[in-house]
Amino acid sequence: MDSDQPITGLRAGLSFSHYSVRRKLGAGGMGEVWLAEDASLQRRVALKFLSPQLTSDPDCHAKLKREAQAAAALNHPNIITIYEVGEFQGRSFIAMEYVDGESLKDRMATGRLAIPEVIQMTKQIARGLGRAHAVGTVHRDIKPHNILLTKDGTAKILDFGLAQLCSGSDVTRTSATVGTMAYMSPEQAKAQEVTPASDLFALGVVMYEMLTGVLPFRGEYEAAVLYAIVHQEPEPLQKLRPDIPPALEQLVMRLLEKDPSKRLQSADDLLAQLQAISVSGHAQASHIESSTRHRRLLVSSGIAVLALVVAITGWHVYKPHVSAKGAGAPMLAVLPFDNLGLPGDEYFADGMTDAVTMQLAKAGRMGVVSRASSMQYKGSKLRVAEIGSELGVDYAITGAVNWERTVTPSRVRISAALVKVADDTYLWADSYERPLEHIFELQAEIAQRVAAALNVAVGSPAEQQGGGLTPNLQAYDFYLRGNQYFNRSWDKDDIQIALRMYRQAVALDSGFASAYAMLCRAEESMYWEYYDRSDATRRRARQAVDRALTLQPDLLEGHLALGYYYYHCELDYENALREFDRALTLQPTHAELLNAVGAVQRRQGKLDAAAQNFMKALEYDPRSYLKAFDVALTFAMMREFREANRFLDRTIALAPDWPLPHVVRAWMAVLRDGDAGESRRVLAQVPAQVDLARSPYYWWLMRILESDFSKVLSQTRLGTDTAGFYLHRAQMYRLLGRGQQEYAYADSARCILETKVRALPEDARFNSQLGLAYAGMRRKSEAIAYARKGVELLPTSRDAYDALFLMVNLAETLMIFDEYDAAVEQLGALLSVPGFVSVPYLKADPLWKPLHDHPAFRKLLAGAA
């Protein structure tokens, strides 16, 4: 049977199993694709019916199931989701996510793409490949046809594993077998072992085609194409596209190396290179990178202008006070040093800025604004006096760095100046040139000269240069690159790249204490952000920080890292505070340390102390929207809504495109007095480009603000928590009285959560969510048992913040099964402690409507009002 022959009986309007066929989407070498409606989950799906050649052999059919199961487990936003493998009329099909968009092949039909679009597209594909390669899955057939683009620009990889179904095929015969011919790697063309590097070669071909509109390896017949792949070099990109940045051309050509060992060895490496190119300014604009747990975000150039306008026009309200460290104690900011070298050396200039900042802050006799606030002025055209006024400092340091690589040995040229903000006058300026190996002495010398100009003693350069650093300049280079990505955001990709950089640094110098400290920070961040909750991650974090403090017992970064390890990996607050206090003795004005102390105190329920430390941290990092948000959130927990709103307004002024503070600002009106109207007005003022719909806090708020729950379903979208999103949809269908849909979505969440609980049986959040999933399926004993276990694993005595959400989950679970007294007991406990439950909220949220006529609930509201 020919692969393009239609399947007998398959037509629009046909129903089989739980699918209703709508229309044919296309056909190709692997078979036909049809759009269908999945009645069980009320969603559109794509059904790929594979050609008989691929699945008629029983071994191939078994392999199909294995490959589809492996692909289904990938669960990544840049990979098409696989739902199931089935059969119809003896022909195998795969049910998968339907993408309402176009293929990359269609997108490229009009010719080459813009360079920023190529970079962003490739980043997304690299993220998807990185996820697959991490679990041992190689695609084998990366090509534009297998990249689908959603209407919002998300790239999704299609057909993982299908290219190897019948691995005995002659790959040199037809492009419909293993890998389309023009995108094959040399090793594929020679029928050698296929590795992740083969996928990267194919991606290099795709990049070349996106950039130039033509393929790098061409021929009039198949054998000629294969010969070109194995033996010929592609035409230089710059010849076909003169505006291509040299760094991007070098990257593509490295991906197209014939020898797999000479290519980039991982998708993470590729992503790191692409991000470095973006940061260097070759990309004309960077796109928004959303963080999983509300951390730093990057803004596109247009939004950055908006943020700056809002911040400047509103800054007089929030201008920080000079630190009360004592009369005459100066406040100082080290502004981002300009990079006068290659664009790719931007991280090096940033590293010099950080190093000088740290040297000065360690003096302990002056207030030094944190790097996070100072770095927001990178590339700013404001005068130094204007920046200094906004930061609330007396003095500012400016500088420029040029790393001269063309001479041997390479040399660093630095110019620096100390400016008095009040009258914009230079108190001191100088320039330096040193061989690269003397970089640490140079950093210390600049700090000493600044301190001398301020008449503040900081010690000699020899005393200042230790700091847990390294004489190995290559290791130091990896360390600086790691810091660049770690400080960029708390997104998984950035943390993983930082991990790779720090591991390279300590591999080159096993005595590099600061690199070990930062390696711990990256490992514990993977654990805390729920990217990798394994015991192995915790062990690696502890081993790294132990090594750092063995090498240098008084290393500030080491005690900071150990404190975070105790906090994030063990929830051991006493030991965390002990380590943070040790670090504060070394640098009392360290903004991140002060903020860390506040974060631990908030988990302990010591909210007054937490608020004071958060505000003190904000004093030294006045441009940090994250620290402003921490203050706001703490006041919200204390139900001091006026103060919470004041700091939320400040957060929004600093980061108007960050969704979370807008949503929390709208919540304040509900928590304070149940005012849905004011809440709607707050949301109506949110800039159009801000995507609120993926935040769980928005999901929960919308059921209060929108009486038509069908609209809530249409206005909320999947974020980073797939199981949580399914539970949200199940909840909405329960409120709509549509039990079948509630069951289906709860069951989808159950499938995910049972796997997570098996892997991590003591994880409170997963147990709690699994209880809700069982509740949606009306499995009472299991639902209540898991929901209770979540609360028992993480009581408020252990975590005064996250435990609150688990108690809400338990109350909802109990209410679903008409256990009203027990549900009210949980809500009463929530009202008795600081948190985000209030009487006006309980009256306003339709979730609790079944309790409204229950005597215990009415008594609770009356007594707490």
Side-chain angles (χ1 to χ4, degrees):
M1 180 177 180
D2 186 78
S3 63
D4 292 329
Q5 180 178 337
I7 302 172
T8 305
L10 190 60
R11 64 187 184 281
L14 176 71
S15 294
F16 69 94
S17 183
H18 49 94
Y19 297 111
S20 298
V21 179
R22 297 297 183 228
R23 61 185 171 87
K24 190 174 181 178
L25 296 174
M30 284 192 175
E32 302 174 17
V33 183
W34 290 74
L35 174 65
E37 187 78 19
D38 181 349
S40 66
L41 290 179
Q42 300 271 303
R43 63 186 174 192
R44 293 190 295 177
V45 299
L47 300 180
K48 171 164 279 193
F49 289 86
L50 301 182
S51 62
Q53 293 96 317
L54 289 176
T55 59
S56 58
D57 186 309
D59 289 339
C60 282
H61 184 72
K63 185 181 287 187
L64 167 64
K65 288 190 174 181
R66 291 196 300 271
E67 292 300 326
Q69 287 169 351
L74 293 176
N75 189 24
H76 190 277
N78 297 119
I79 298 174
I80 288 289
T81 301
I82 302 294
Y83 299 133
E84 72 165 319
V85 176
E87 284 190 25
F88 177 69
Q89 296 184 352
R91 194 161 174 181
S92 298
F93 70 85
I94 300 173
M96 64 186 72
E97 174 186 2
Y98 169 66
V99 173
D100 185 11
E102 61 181 347
S103 71
L104 178 55
K105 184 68 175 177
D106 294 333
R107 176 71 183 82
M108 293 164 55
T110 56
R112 67 189 193 183
L113 306 185
I115 287 173
E117 186 177 7
V118 173
I119 291 174
Q120 299 307 333
M121 196 89 68
T122 309
K123 281 184 183 180
Q124 295 184 64
I125 300 169
R127 291 186 181 110
L129 285 177
R131 170 68 180 128
H133 294 165
V135 297
T137 299
V138 180
H139 190 285
R140 292 173 165 80
D141 196 18
I142 291 294
K143 57 187 178 183
H145 314 66
N146 282 339
I147 309 297
L148 300 183
L149 308 177
T150 67
K151 290 184 176 179
D152 66 0
T154 301
K156 290 179 174 283
I157 307 173
L158 180 69
D159 285 354
F160 262 99
L162 295 188
Q164 62 170 333
L165 281 180
C166 297
S167 57
S169 302
D170 180 357
V171 299
T172 65
R173 285 190 181 274
T174 170
S175 62
T177 56
V178 184
T180 301
M181 193 73 64
Y183 302 92
M184 282 186 182
S185 65
E187 57 270 24
Q188 278 179 290
K190 293 186 288 186
Q192 295 174 347
E193 181 184 6
V194 175
T195 68
S198 306
D199 283 347
L200 296 181
F201 182 94
L203 184 51
V205 176
V206 173
M207 290 182 71
Y208 190 104
E209 188 178 10
M210 285 194 289
L211 288 163
T212 66
V214 299
L215 287 162
F217 306 107
R218 303 183 291 278
E220 295 182 1
Y221 47 90
E222 292 172 352
V225 175
L226 288 175
Y227 182 86
I229 290 170
V230 175
H231 298 289
Q232 294 179 352
E233 294 300 324
E235 195 170 5
L237 282 115
Q238 204 156 39
K239 183 177 179 181
L240 298 172
R241 183 161 189 170
D243 64 329
I244 188 171
L248 184 58
E249 179 176 29
Q250 293 167 12
L251 176 60
V252 175
M253 298 310 291
R254 187 172 175 190
L255 290 173
L256 296 179
E257 286 279 0
K258 310 294 186 187
D259 182 350
S261 67
K262 293 181 180 179
R263 294 175 209 147
L264 294 178
Q265 292 303 293
S266 75
D268 284 347
D269 289 341
L270 172 58
L271 189 59
Q273 296 277 359
L274 289 167
Q275 288 182 315
I277 292 170
S278 296
V279 169
S280 72
H282 284 311
Q284 295 170 0
S286 60
H287 79 270
I288 299 172
E289 301 271 0
S290 301
S291 74
T292 306
R293 289 289 298 270
H294 338 308
R295 307 284 186 165
R296 294 181 182 85
L297 70 166
L298 301 177
V299 291
S300 66
S301 57
I303 298 174
V305 171
L306 173 62
L308 191 58
V309 169
V310 173
I312 290 173
T313 56
W315 186 248
H316 67 279
V317 179
Y318 310 120
K319 183 175 177 180
H321 297 290
V322 175
S323 171
K325 288 161 52 65
M331 283 292 289
L332 175 73
V334 182
L335 302 184
F337 284 10
D338 293 328
N339 172 40
L340 302 182
L342 296 173
D345 291 342
E346 199 73 37
Y347 74 94
F348 187 78
D350 291 347
M352 284 296 300
T353 308
D354 292 346
V356 173
T357 301
M358 183 64 72
Q359 294 280 14
L360 288 163
K362 285 179 179 177
R365 292 191 179 182
M366 67 183 79
V368 181
V369 169
S370 81
R371 60 99 55 202
S373 282
S374 295
M375 289 302 287
Q376 293 189 38
Y377 290 94
K378 191 176 181 65
S380 172
K381 301 301 182 183
L382 294 175
R383 293 184 300 110
V384 173
E386 293 173 313
I387 296 173
S389 177
E390 289 186 6
L391 289 172
V393 298
D394 305 292
Y395 303 94
I397 297 175
T398 64
V401 180
N402 185 7
W403 182 0
E404 182 56 66
R405 297 171 179 265
T406 58
V407 299
T408 304
S410 62
R411 301 180 69 80
V412 177
R413 298 187 181 92
I414 298 178
S415 61
L418 176 66
V419 180
K420 186 177 180 181
V421 169
D423 54 11
D424 207 8
T425 58
Y426 284 78
L427 302 181
W428 161 83
D430 209 341
S431 59
Y432 308 82
E433 182 175 340
R434 301 282 191 281
L436 184 60
E437 60 264 28
H438 295 299
I439 188 67
F440 307 126
E441 294 97 319
L442 180 54
Q443 293 165 358
E445 184 177 348
I446 293 172
Q448 185 189 34
R449 291 292 304 275
V450 171
L454 292 172
N455 195 26
V456 178
V458 296
S460 69
E463 293 171 327
Q464 289 287 331
Q465 74 181 62
L469 296 178
T470 173
N472 185 314
L473 296 176
Q474 189 179 3
Y476 184 61
D477 188 63
F478 278 116
Y479 171 74
L480 292 181
R481 290 179 186 271
N483 289 347
Q484 179 189 30
Y485 289 105
F486 188 79
N487 290 323
R488 183 197 302 269
S489 81
W490 287 83
D491 288 347
K492 183 179 181 180
D493 292 328
D494 284 333
I495 298 173
Q496 285 182 320
I497 294 169
L499 270 173
R500 295 179 65 85
M501 298 298 106
Y502 296 138
R503 287 170 183 161
Q504 292 273 20
V506 299
L508 289 165
D509 182 0
S510 61
F512 194 169
S514 289
Y516 277 110
M518 292 307 299
L519 179 58
C520 170
R521 293 291 309 279
E523 294 281 14
E524 57 84 5
S525 295
M526 289 293 291
Y527 186 85
W528 179 248
E529 301 294 338
Y530 270 75
Y531 299 137
D532 184 350
R533 295 286 288 184
S534 67
D535 287 339
T537 299
R538 294 167 58 193
R539 285 195 299 272
R540 289 193 300 268
R542 184 59 193 257
Q543 290 165 358
V545 71
D546 285 349
R547 175 64 175 163
L549 290 172
T550 298
L551 289 166
Q552 189 166 337
D554 291 331
L555 182 66
L556 182 149
E557 295 88 344
H559 290 291
L560 177 63
L562 183 54
Y564 270 117
Y565 168 82
Y566 281 128
Y567 171 21
H568 285 168
C569 296
E570 303 289 350
L571 297 187
D572 183 345
Y573 302 136
E574 294 303 324
N575 276 321
L577 289 174
R578 182 193 67 203
E579 294 301 323
F580 292 149
D581 285 343
R582 286 181 180 176
L584 283 168
T585 62
L586 300 170
Q587 190 175 327
T589 63
H590 195 291
E592 186 176 4
L593 274 167
L594 293 165
N595 205 78
V597 171
V600 171
Q601 290 170 331
R602 185 166 61 196
R603 298 277 169 178
Q604 292 178 311
K606 301 175 180 177
L607 299 185
D608 286 326
Q612 292 302 312
N613 277 301
F614 282 139
M615 287 190 287
K616 193 172 181 182
L618 185 60
E619 181 182 340
Y620 291 104
D621 195 357
R623 300 284 301 177
S624 171
Y625 61 86
L626 294 171
K627 292 182 176 64
F629 185 69
D630 270 329
V631 179
L633 207 59
T634 306
F635 280 124
M637 286 185 69
M638 298 164 71
R639 301 187 178 94
E640 295 186 16
F641 300 118
R642 184 188 296 267
E643 285 298 287
N645 284 336
R646 185 164 72 90
F647 283 95
L648 283 169
D649 289 343
R650 176 168 177 173
T651 306
I652 292 168
L654 290 168
D657 55 337
W658 186 26
L660 190 61
H662 293 287
V663 178
V664 175
R665 184 70 172 80
W667 263 108
M668 290 301 100
V670 173
L671 294 174
R672 185 187 65 235
D673 50 25
D675 190 344
E678 182 183 340
S679 186
R680 292 189 190 97
R681 285 191 292 274
V682 170
L683 294 180
Q685 296 171 10
V686 178
Q689 71 270 18
V690 179
D691 183 7
L692 304 176
R694 301 181 194 276
S695 167
Y697 303 96
Y698 183 75
W699 305 341
W700 307 331
L701 179 63
M702 286 308 294
R703 70 178 182 235
I704 300 173
L705 304 187
E706 178 55 71
S707 59
D708 184 349
F709 302 129
S710 296
K711 289 185 178 179
V712 177
L713 287 166
S714 67
Q715 293 171 6
T716 53
R717 295 194 300 278
L718 175 64
T720 58
D721 182 2
T722 303
F725 181 68
Y726 287 158
L727 291 174
H728 157 66
R729 296 189 78 80
Q731 183 187 77
M732 289 299 97
Y733 281 119
R734 184 174 80 248
L735 295 178
L736 283 166
R738 294 166 63 177
Q740 183 179 2
Q741 286 79 16
E742 178 192 2
Y743 183 98
Y745 275 102
D747 190 40
S748 295
R750 175 196 61 80
C751 293
I752 297 170
L753 292 164
E754 282 183 341
T755 301
K756 292 182 180 295
V757 170
R758 279 195 297 270
L760 297 167
E762 301 303 304
D763 189 284
R765 188 177 84 177
F766 292 150
N767 276 276
S768 177
Q769 286 185 315
L770 183 55
L772 277 178
Y774 284 133
M777 301 168 69
R778 299 304 186 269
R779 291 164 58 170
K780 181 176 180 178
S781 61
E782 295 155 296
I784 294 177
Y786 278 102
R788 284 198 184 279
K789 185 177 179 182
V791 171
E792 291 164 1
L793 287 168
L794 194 69
T796 54
S797 59
R798 191 165 185 230
D799 187 334
Y801 185 83
D802 281 347
L804 305 174
F805 300 96
L806 309 187
M807 293 171 69
V808 171
N809 289 351
L810 175 56
E812 181 180 355
T813 301
L814 291 165
M815 182 186 66
I816 288 171
F817 295 105
D818 299 334
E819 299 285 346
Y820 291 165
D821 286 331
V824 172
E825 181 182 353
Q826 287 297 313
L827 296 176
L830 284 163
L831 286 175
S832 70
V833 297
F836 306 106
V837 172
S838 67
V839 169
Y841 155 73
L842 291 174
K843 292 178 179 179
D845 191 344
L847 182 68
W848 309 113
K849 188 174 180 180
L851 297 176
H852 282 191
D853 293 329
H854 189 67
F857 186 71
R858 293 202 302 269
K859 182 178 179 181
L860 173 67
L861 299 188

